Amino acid sequence: MASPPDRRSLLDLTLAPGTDARALSDEAHRVAVAALATGTNLQAPLERLRGRSVLLTSATQLPTVLAALALDGIARRILLCLPDIAESDLPSIMAEGEVELVVTDGSGPQPSAGAARVAAGSAVRPGDVALEDRSVPTEWVLFTSGTTGRPKMVAHTLESLTGPLDDGLKVQERPVWSTFYDVRRYGGLQILLRALLGGGSMVLSSASEPVGDFLVRVGQSGVTHISGTPSHWRRALMSPNANRMAPRYVRLSGEVADQAILDHLKQAYPHSDVAHAFASTEAGVAFDVRDGLAGFPASYIDQPGTKAEMRVIDGTLRIRSSRTSSGYLGTAPRLGDTEGFIDTGDMVERRGERYYFVGRREGVINVGGQKVFPEEVEAVINRHPAVQMSKVWARKSPITGAIVAADLVLREGAGPLAGIREPILQMCRDQLAAHKVPVSLRAVPSLPVGPAGKLLRHD
Amino acid sequence: MSTAGKDIRGFILEQVQAVARQQKKTLAPLSDGLPLLESGLDSLCIAIIVANLDDELGLDPFASGAVDMPVTLGDFIRLYEHGVAA
């Protein structure tokens, strides 16, 4: 897709497909897309923000979404602050992001000093915005979900963010999109952009809303397309309200999608297409897989000239594409190797004509010098019908340094673990090398899922 | 849990045989003087036995970090018997 000589802003691209019956909604608000043509949620003239670096912060997502729509093409840079960022990290974030203005509804992480504030809520007020000049090439800064330390700030452009949308996914008229993700994270922002540019509506999730209530809201809003991480989906399928929605398209990203979760989703939503996508905040979306099978075809690798070119080096997946971010802000290390390939840290293994994700390089368990990826063991355990989800962890061993152990969340009515321990272990012995078989299984009521929707692996 | 040394010895020997079966290892005839490395068990088997004993008996003589690594099956059993006596 050649980019037109005149940059089109997110607002232009959103309004272009028409605005009839389109809306952005959250737990408590509904904003008609048509209203964006003539107003903003900012309680300040847009000119005050022209050319500025602006931090957008709010506890719920809608104030930030509305402000980003108003400011793309106006602000020099917008930083999408995540609600779980520590306020103690804000001074350095503000300095590295050269933040001049903070747009906020007063909730979410609040800097104590350093920049003037502009109030922005969850409602759009009429104003004269149609004739604004939106030619500034706004830089979009996203925060990564890093498990330790201060989150990294990853710079994108609207072009790098919208690049993956051109993937041939056929979507009917007026789709209603939703995601378990916070749309200020890369995986969620992809879905918001699909809704906005594809002529659709968007139903935003809320961190404070019980998952069962969200599922009901999704159903009532007529959501047709919905995404989440495998952990989001496992949790959703545990809810008695899972059957309250009837999506046509179910998407997984952010973690390894094993065959069990793909099968369970197809079973729960038989009229949907179930697809899993691979993306990272830094590398962008690399591909999606629509055949309902875990892993991806080996033919995806080493295809020069494709929009997202992939290589496997030392067992990890590397990606180079125009959707790749422009780099980190501040002092974080440079992205990519000399040829521009980004190391995703995701280990893959070829079996026949397909590659399978085996786990994160840094999550590997070392059993007496032999490697075990928690994800490959979980993928086997999760296929047992009594298991809802599992987490494999490194149990200390005085003999081999570490040995594999697993915590399991059992399905309702599965009965006590004692009754199924041996069949689960036998499945593992049949399908895994001996050092990968858990030495102990433990039933737990739930497993912690972090704010990015991924299973937390660090205790 | 019984504190009788004989029960612990019996339990450990059961574990050795169960894990060997599970891991498809052929055991040498078991005796106190048998070097562990010649018993037919590999280090993964021993790691599994140690973990099982911790789970079943609540005993982890290695936890202190100050124990000598057992050389023979007898050394291994005594490590656990002393753990109970202490």
Side-chain angles (χ1 to χ4, degrees), chain B residues 4-40:
Chain B
K6 195 179 171 193
D7 288 347
I8 288 180
R9 166 178 291 266
F11 194 86
I12 292 174
L13 292 175
E14 274 171 31
Q15 274 295 319
V16 166
Q17 280 164 357
V19 170
R21 237 186 346 266
Q22 186 195 86
Q23 300 294 321
K24 301 188 169 61
K25 304 289 182 194
T26 307
L27 282 176
L30 298 180
S31 71
D32 273 14
L34 176 69
L36 278 173
L37 291 178
E38 293 167 23
S39 65

Side-chain angles (χ1 to χ4, degrees), chain A residues 354-376:
Chain A
R354 219 165 163 91
Y355 275 97
Y356 295 88
F357 289 99
V358 289
R360 298 282 306 161
R361 185 173 42 213
E362 72 269 16
V364 70
I365 299 172
N366 190 329
V367 179
Q370 302 196 76
K371 284 179 184 177
V372 183
F373 292 99
E375 292 91 339
E376 62 180 328

Side-chain angles (χ1 to χ4, degrees), chain B:
Chain B
M1 180 179 73
S2 165
T3 54
K6 195 179 171 193
D7 288 347
I8 288 180
R9 166 178 291 266
F11 194 86
I12 292 174
L13 292 175
E14 274 171 31
Q15 274 295 319
V16 166
Q17 280 164 357
V19 170
R21 237 186 346 266
Q22 186 195 86
Q23 300 294 321
K24 301 188 169 61
K25 304 289 182 194
T26 307
L27 282 176
L30 298 180
S31 71
D32 273 14
L34 176 69
L36 278 173
L37 291 178
E38 293 167 23
S39 65
L41 300 172
D42 60 13
S43 57
L44 178 64
C45 292
I46 298 170
I48 294 170
I49 293 167
V50 168
N52 288 347
L53 292 172
D54 186 9
D55 290 343
E56 301 291 334
L57 302 178
L59 291 178
D60 181 7
F62 299 92
S64 72
V67 297
D68 289 336
M69 288 307 278
V71 175
T72 65
L73 181 60
D75 294 341
F76 186 77
I77 293 170
R78 274 190 292 281
L79 212 50
Y80 283 86
E81 288 173 338
H82 290 167
V84 172

Side-chain angles (χ1 to χ4, degrees), chain A residues 380-402:
Chain A
V380 173
I381 295 173
N382 290 349
R383 298 202 79 150
H384 192 279
V387 177
Q388 184 77 51
M389 61 194 292
S390 60
K391 182 176 89 166
V392 164
W393 50 282
R395 176 174 169 175
K396 276 190 186 157
S397 169
I399 311 298
T400 51

Side-chain angles (χ1 to χ4, degrees), chain A residues 219-448:
Chain A
Q220 286 170 346
S221 309
V223 165
T224 56
H225 293 62
I226 177 165
S227 87
T229 63
S231 290
H232 283 137
W233 281 114
R234 290 187 189 105
R235 201 171 51 178
L237 292 179
M238 276 190 261
S239 166
N241 292 344
N243 61 2
R244 298 289 289 273
M245 61 170 172
R248 295 198 211 165
Y249 176 80
V250 166
R251 182 181 176 99
L252 303 94
S253 64
E255 291 176 300
V256 176
D258 59 35
Q259 194 60 48
I261 187 63
L262 294 171
D263 292 347
H264 289 148
L265 284 168
K266 190 66 194 169
Q267 210 169 27
Y269 307 110
H271 302 297
S272 71
D273 292 323
V274 177
H276 56 105
F278 179 85
S280 75
T281 308
E282 290 87 346
V285 178
F287 58 87
D288 67 4
V289 180
R290 302 172 193 178
D291 61 10
L293 299 175
F296 59 91
S299 59
Y300 284 17
I301 297 290
D302 294 327
Q303 295 280 340
T306 48
K307 283 173 188 160
E309 200 179 333
M310 303 195 290
R311 286 181 179 174
V312 176
I313 299 171
D314 298 333
T316 65
L317 186 63
R318 320 276 166 120
I319 298 169
R320 176 174 72 181
S321 85
S322 58
R323 305 138 179 199
T324 295
S325 84
S326 12
Y328 293 120
L329 288 191
T331 53
R334 196 174 82 87
L335 271 173
D337 63 15
T338 49
E339 291 179 80
F341 279 88
I342 290 181
D343 182 354
T344 63
D346 286 290
M347 308 286 298
V348 294
E349 185 180 283
R350 184 168 179 165
R351 286 174 232 147
E353 287 311 299
R354 219 165 163 91
Y355 275 97
Y356 295 88
F357 289 99
V358 289
R360 298 282 306 161
R361 185 173 42 213
E362 72 269 16
V364 70
I365 299 172
N366 190 329
V367 179
Q370 302 196 76
K371 284 179 184 177
V372 183
F373 292 99
E375 292 91 339
E376 62 180 328
V377 183
E378 290 159 7
V380 173
I381 295 173
N382 290 349
R383 298 202 79 150
H384 192 279
V387 177
Q388 184 77 51
M389 61 194 292
S390 60
K391 182 176 89 166
V392 164
W393 50 282
R395 176 174 169 175
K396 276 190 186 157
S397 169
I399 311 298
T400 51
I403 193 159
V404 175
D407 289 349
L408 317 181
V409 178
L410 299 179
R411 286 178 195 281
E412 252 182 57
L417 177 60
I420 47 174
R421 181 189 303 272
E422 205 36 50
I424 292 173
L425 289 175
Q426 196 53 51
M427 278 176 65
C428 293
R429 287 183 202 120
D430 290 345
Q431 297 175 45
L432 296 167
H435 66 281
K436 299 179 181 179
V437 175
V439 67
S440 52
L441 302 179
R442 196 164 67 173
V444 295
S446 64
L447 285 168

Side-chain angles (χ1 to χ4, degrees), chain A residues 55-73:
Chain A
L55 181 81
L56 310 182
T57 177
S58 53
T60 60
Q61 302 169 53
L62 191 55
T64 289
V65 169
L66 296 173
L69 272 156
L71 292 175
D72 179 69

